[in-house]
């Protein structure tokens, strides 16, 4: 039997390997905070606190559509709530309530999933899809929170964080340098590895960087 998320071989029957389970746990714990932090990134440059206040108040404010989409209905909250609902449905439970502010709903959905992780990892047939989708979601949120200026996008960090949990953070080549380091886990990527990264050849657990 194999992990339904990364396809690694499993010792005992389950849906997720320990690496994918731990990664999912961490991401569910981090997503509510990422959601809150995104509010600071709604306006271009807002997180840097620049611009005179009077000007900021009177000018029509540009809004980052990508951040807005992630924070709105249909974004981060909907992905989490849909998975919580699918999980509860699979267990024969009723639909979870969707009440309160979006912040509260994000927290409730992430917590509802976290509290059922043991069952998800052992029994939930869609666990692999869920783990992959939550990883992509957390990666997107991290990329939106990244204050770095737009630079060449290389691919996703292939570092193994232990027990098969692949980092997956977006990697970029900063302007004017040939040094690429993962901002999440610190893995280094010398130029001769860039082509492999860019073509996604490391996107399998077997080919992950050491
Ligand atoms: Zn796995
Ligand atoms: Zn990394």
């Amino acid at each position: 039997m194999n992990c339904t998320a990364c396809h690694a071989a499993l010792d005992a029957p389950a849906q997720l390997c320990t690496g994918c389970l731990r990664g999912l746990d961490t991401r569910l714990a981090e997503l509510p905070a990422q959601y809150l932090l995104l509010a600071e990134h709604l306006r271009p440059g807002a997180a840097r606190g620049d611009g005179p206040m009077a000007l900021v108040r009177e000018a029509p404010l540009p809004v980052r559509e990508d951040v807005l989409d992630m924070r709105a209905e249909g974004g981060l909250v909907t992905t989490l709530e849909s998975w919580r609902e699918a999980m509860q449905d699979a267990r024969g439970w009723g639909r979870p309530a969707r009440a309160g502010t979006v912040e509260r709903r994000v927290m409730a959905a992430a917590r509802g999933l976290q509290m059922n992780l043991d069952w998800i990892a052992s029994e939930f047939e869609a666990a692999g899809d869920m783990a992959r989708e939550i990883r992509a979601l957390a990666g997107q949120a991290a990329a939106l929170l990244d204050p770095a200026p737009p630079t060449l996008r290389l691919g996703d960090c292939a570092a193994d964080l232990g027990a098969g949990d692949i980092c997956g953070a977006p990697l970029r080549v900063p302007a004017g340098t040939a040094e690429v380091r993962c901002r999440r886990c610190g893995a280094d990527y010398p130029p001769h590895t860039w082509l492999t990264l860019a073509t996604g050849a490391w996107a399998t657990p077997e080919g992950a960087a050491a």
Side-chain angles (χ1 to χ4, degrees):
M1 193 160 190
N2 292 306
C3 170
T4 54
C6 73
H7 307 299
L10 298 170
D11 300 333
Q15 297 291 333
L16 296 178
C17 69
T18 47
C20 287
L21 170 60
R22 203 167 51 199
L24 182 57
D25 191 16
T26 305
R27 288 173 188 114
L28 286 171
E30 289 173 355
L31 275 166
Q34 285 182 306
Y35 182 84
L36 288 180
L37 285 171
L38 280 170
E40 307 284 311
H41 292 256
L42 271 171
R43 277 181 288 118
R48 291 198 303 271
D50 51 15
M53 277 314 288
L55 203 69
V56 170
R57 240 183 281 119
E58 282 156 30
L61 298 176
V63 167
R64 287 182 59 188
E65 298 278 352
D66 49 358
V67 177
L68 202 61
D69 288 346
M70 182 66 106
R71 284 184 50 85
E73 202 73 48
L76 195 149
V77 68
T78 303
T79 303
L80 288 176
E81 284 182 337
S82 303
W83 279 115
R84 187 185 182 200
E85 200 174 305
M87 180 273 294
Q88 298 214 169
D89 191 49
R91 303 196 78 167
W93 299 350
R95 283 181 62 151
R98 296 184 175 190
T101 61
V102 180
E103 281 86 351
R104 279 192 169 279
R105 286 167 51 196
V106 167
M107 217 175 305
R111 208 173 133 65
L113 286 168
Q114 256 193 310
M115 288 191 309
N116 289 282
L117 272 184
D118 286 343
W119 182 84
I120 288 168
S122 59
E123 308 283 340
F124 190 34
E125 286 187 1
D129 288 337
M130 180 183 151
R132 282 195 298 266
E133 208 173 306
I134 301 267
R135 186 169 89 182
L137 184 71
Q140 283 166 21
L144 291 175
L145 291 169
D146 190 342
T151 44
L152 177 64
R153 175 97 156 74
L154 256 194
D156 296 332
C157 179
D160 188 337
L161 303 181
D165 182 30
I166 303 304
C167 173
L171 293 172
R172 295 187 187 81
V173 186
T177 154
E179 284 173 20
V180 175
R181 168 167 288 185
C182 175
R183 301 170 72 92
R184 180 164 179 245
C185 74
D188 282 311
Y189 290 90
H192 74 264
T193 64
W194 293 1
L195 192 62
T196 317
L197 271 176
T199 53
W202 262 334
T204 61
E206 293 78 19

